[in-house]
Amino acid sequence: MAQPKTLFDKIWDSHVVETSKEGTCLLYIDRQLVHEVTSAQAFEGLRLTGRKARRPEANLAVCDHNVPTTDRGKPIEDEDSRIQVAELERNVKEFGIPYFPLTDARQGIVHIVGPEQGFTQPGMTIVCGDSHTATHGAFGALAFGVGTSEVEHVLATQTLYQKPAKNMRITVTGTPHAGVGAKDIILAIIGKIGTAGGTGHVVEFAGPAIEALSMEGRMTVCNMTIEAGARAGLVAPDEKTYAYMKGRPMAPKGEEWEKAVAYWKTLPSDAGAKYDREVTLDAASIAPIVTWGTSPEDVVEITGAVPDPATARDENKRRAMIRSLEYMGLKAGTKMTDIAIQTAFIGSCTNGRIEDLRQAAAIAKGRKVAAGVRALVVPGSGLVKEQAEKEGLDRVFTEAGFEWREAGCSMCLAMNPDKLAPGERSASTSNRNFEGRQGPGGRTHLMSPAMVAAAAIAGHIADVRDFD
Amino acid sequence: MEKFTTLTAIAAPLPMINVDTDKIIPARWLKTIKRTGLGPALFEAIRYKKDGSEDPDFILNKEPYRNAKILVTGENFGCGSSREHAPWALLDFGFRCIIAPDFADIFYSNSFKNGILLIKLPQETVDKLMSDAEKGANARLTVDLERQVIVRPDGEEVHFDIDPFRKHCLLNGLDEIGLTLQKADAISGYESQHKSSTPWLFR
């Protein structure tokens, strides 16, 4: 009998064009997502060498990182951003790449748009010049972020040189308590294995708590795999995956759909497949999670307090903790629920999908944002925005005092006008609490959409379980 | 890509762990459409004071480290975003080699594409090289890629491992896309085979 294979092994093996004697593989790439920030130099490289895009239709381009989330009718005010968007528009035209312009309802964050359009499918290899490409692994696709040189390499050749990653399986058991969801699960995992815990690995998320998640929840989990150091996260495709995909504009149709589903059903890992590393987490054992520091591994349960650097595992970590506390303006021992915030941000490729907005709206409904707190809701795509408006979520938010914006990456990385002022503190559904990530000197606490809504209303970091 | 053969240069110590790509180059510099010119923005938030002047305490603002071409740093260097602006900024400053216990995967790959050699060594060895790098004007290391050794100021040689394909590309300054385009037949062969088995991937 053939050696049992993991989901990762199967996708990998079916995409190897050739292998060198040292084990480097030329890997076929099925799809590439393109955005304005990491592609200009790649297209310029093609132009300078007189090369073409090998399969233009295997790409999909959209502007997201730089775009304002206010009035779309006006030209972009920031000159550099405007040039970058114009540059992408010129490049997609010249190289024949499919593109959703800013005025198209399908525009949004690349990692929201791909799944929404059915561009993302199980068993594929997908890349994008963005580390959160890991998101698409929720469909059982091998999806990872690449740099601009690799964007150019894929455009020109539809392949990449890669060495196979190691297999890691993270099994999540148990039923999470009310108020605990996908974001808490992935933050708990990052806290457990550390930001370099997955380096060199592809992580397969498995177990009943993962199977029980919606596709949106699985995307949140896979999205932040990179924050644990792994380039890609994976969840085996199942009936939920097929139900989510069926009828999407770029999904297979008719007879081909049946063939595709039959193929996708062969992808889940075989019984007895070997993993280089196994980790387990009991979802029933965790409370809502928030971050206290400047690395996504700096997590604590909402019932906890800011930790003491004296408890650090080694001198390097102790120094890093002291620096984090200084940057964050926090003292060891402070209860997390005593930390006041000035900004609340709901959005990003981690938590900008319809289900995230529904969870936040359920907390915001009939309540008011605390005085002095600026609260932003930025849908992940124009279609998410339309759906939310159909459900009346926009009114729930605006009546509570949240701003309702246009789609984009926004305050997740503060390349557009949405940013924190120095020293300003946010409760954020985004993925990184690095120094300066949401604006120079800004202080970020990561948490789930419901927890951010709770913090916006309380005016300080709060336990969503106290909101009935 | 510029070749990398041997390099003798000042090594700068940056004893921090988890240095993320936002710290290497903040997002506001990502609006450029060029690969060059990012050197002055490297480590912006920790290199300059709030008024924009240089922070005299930051290592790269001191002599002789302004001319450093080698960086010795802590674990998980380059974590976070996939922005190739991070290696572009390091290269534009002058760095051609970075030594650490480990690197984030995407940053690792991006650096090699730009002619920067990344060397992974055990923590104890990095600690030794870190103390070499703290020797000011004497903080000179020689990195010999062909022989895969680092020569310390006292003459001791430290061996390092490197993937043979990456070594080959660096030593020869190869254009990877050019190499791959020579394999167009193999790629076409793969495509025609998979067009019949998984046709929906080729719509």
Side-chain angles (χ1 to χ4, degrees), chain A residues 14-15 17-18 22 24 26 28 30-31 37 40-41 51 54-55 66 78 80-81 84 121 124 129-131 145-150 152-153 156-157 159 161 163 195-196 199-200 226 229 231 252 256 259-260 263-264 297 313 316-317 319-320 323 413 415 432 434-435 437, chain B residues 15-18 20-23 27-28 30-35 45-46 50 75-76 79-85 88 102-106 109-110 113-114 123 163-165 175-181 183-184 186-188 190-191 194 196-203:
Chain A
S14 65
H15 285 83
V17 176
E18 62 173 50
E22 302 101 13
T24 302
L26 188 64
Y28 195 80
D30 294 313
R31 295 283 187 270
V37 173
Q41 294 88 344
R51 291 168 181 154
R54 184 179 174 90
R55 280 182 60 199
N66 249 317
D78 180 276
D80 291 335
S81 297
Q84 221 169 34
Q121 298 167 19
M124 280 181 165
D130 188 281
S131 59
V146 296
T148 301
S149 296
E150 291 185 322
E152 184 180 341
H153 197 281
T157 70
T159 64
Y161 288 103
K163 278 217 155 168
T195 52
T199 303
I226 184 67
R231 272 178 102 162
E256 214 155 68
K259 261 183 96 169
Y263 173 69
W264 297 338
E297 70 186 17
R313 61 176 150 82
N316 282 336
K317 184 65 191 167
R319 271 205 306 255
R323 191 189 158 82
L413 85 167
M415 277 192 77
R432 289 188 178 134
F434 297 156
E435 289 181 24
R437 173 78 179 182
Chain B
M16 297 170 85
I17 59 169
N18 295 331
D20 57 71
T21 52
D22 278 80
K23 192 170 272 166
R28 68 193 192 94
L30 273 51
K31 295 181 183 181
T32 177
I33 54 172
K34 296 189 299 187
R35 291 172 197 250
I46 51 177
K50 285 201 178 80
E75 67 187 38
N76 201 27
C79 60
S81 137
S82 64
R83 61 189 68 167
E84 201 160 312
H85 309 69
W88 293 338
D102 65 358
F103 298 92
D105 286 339
I106 305 177
S109 154
N110 285 345
K113 312 273 178 204
N114 290 280
Q123 183 72 55
D163 172 75
F165 180 66
D175 164 20
E176 243 182 54
I177 297 178
L179 275 183
T180 310
L181 286 173
K183 298 180 176 173
I187 299 169
S188 299
Y190 175 94
E191 284 171 340
H194 284 76
S196 53
S197 60
T198 50
W200 60 90
L201 294 178
F202 294 86
R203 294 284 175 253

Side-chain angles (χ1 to χ4, degrees), chain A residues 272-445:
Chain A
K274 293 265 186 303
Y275 294 86
D276 300 285
R277 191 173 168 204
E278 295 253 20
V279 174
T280 57
L281 176 83
D282 177 8
S285 72
I286 58 172
I289 309 273
V290 297
T291 61
W292 57 265
T294 56
S295 168
E297 70 186 17
D298 297 339
V299 300
V300 61
E301 293 193 335
I302 184 62
T303 48
V306 176
D308 188 340
T311 61
R313 61 176 150 82
D314 61 41
E315 182 54 23
N316 282 336
K317 184 65 191 167
R318 192 182 70 86
R319 271 205 306 255
M321 282 177 81
I322 291 170
R323 191 189 158 82
S324 284
L325 291 186
E326 195 184 302
Y327 180 86
M328 293 296 288
L330 292 174
K331 286 203 165 49
T334 306
K335 282 175 64 183
M336 292 311 294
T337 48
D338 285 345
I339 299 172
I341 61 148
Q342 293 81 47
T343 291
F345 171 65
I346 297 170
S348 84
C349 58
T350 311
N351 283 127
R353 285 168 283 271
I354 188 67
E355 186 184 270
D356 303 312
L357 302 192
R358 286 180 192 139
Q359 287 170 4
I363 300 300
K365 194 173 175 124
R367 296 190 169 100
K368 292 281 179 210
V369 170
V373 172
R374 163 176 67 147
L376 264 68
V377 185
V378 183
S381 72
L383 293 178
V384 169
K385 182 168 184 262
E386 275 184 9
Q387 178 61 30
E389 287 172 354
K390 230 181 266 173
E391 296 177 22
L393 304 184
D394 58 324
R395 286 191 306 282
V396 170
F397 285 121
T398 51
E399 280 164 17
F402 288 81
E403 296 175 38
W404 180 247
R405 297 290 190 89
E406 301 289 337
C409 297
S410 179
M411 203 185 273
C412 175
L413 85 167
M415 277 192 77
N416 78 345
D418 308 333
K419 54 185 71 157
L420 297 180
E424 195 178 352
R425 189 181 300 280
S426 78
S428 178
T429 65
S430 55
N431 38 57
R432 289 188 178 134
N433 51 350
F434 297 156
E435 289 181 24
R437 173 78 179 182
Q438 294 192 290
R443 295 161 169 168
T444 304
H445 295 273

Side-chain angles (χ1 to χ4, degrees), chain A residues 74-93:
Chain A
K74 287 191 265 182
I76 300 175
E77 258 178 55
D78 180 276
E79 194 189 354
D80 291 335
S81 297
R82 193 171 65 241
I83 291 172
Q84 221 169 34
V85 168
E87 189 69 12
L88 181 66
E89 296 190 336
R90 170 171 91 109
N91 287 330
V92 295
K93 218 166 158 188

Side-chain angles (χ1 to χ4, degrees), chain A residues 33-40 43 60-66 88 110-111 128-131, chain B residues 82:
Chain A
L33 289 151
V34 176
H35 66 88
E36 79 278 22
V37 173
T38 58
S39 65
F43 286 111
L60 178 62
V62 70
C63 288
D64 56 5
H65 281 58
N66 249 317
L88 181 66
V110 272
H111 309 309
C128 172
D130 188 281
S131 59
Chain B
S82 64

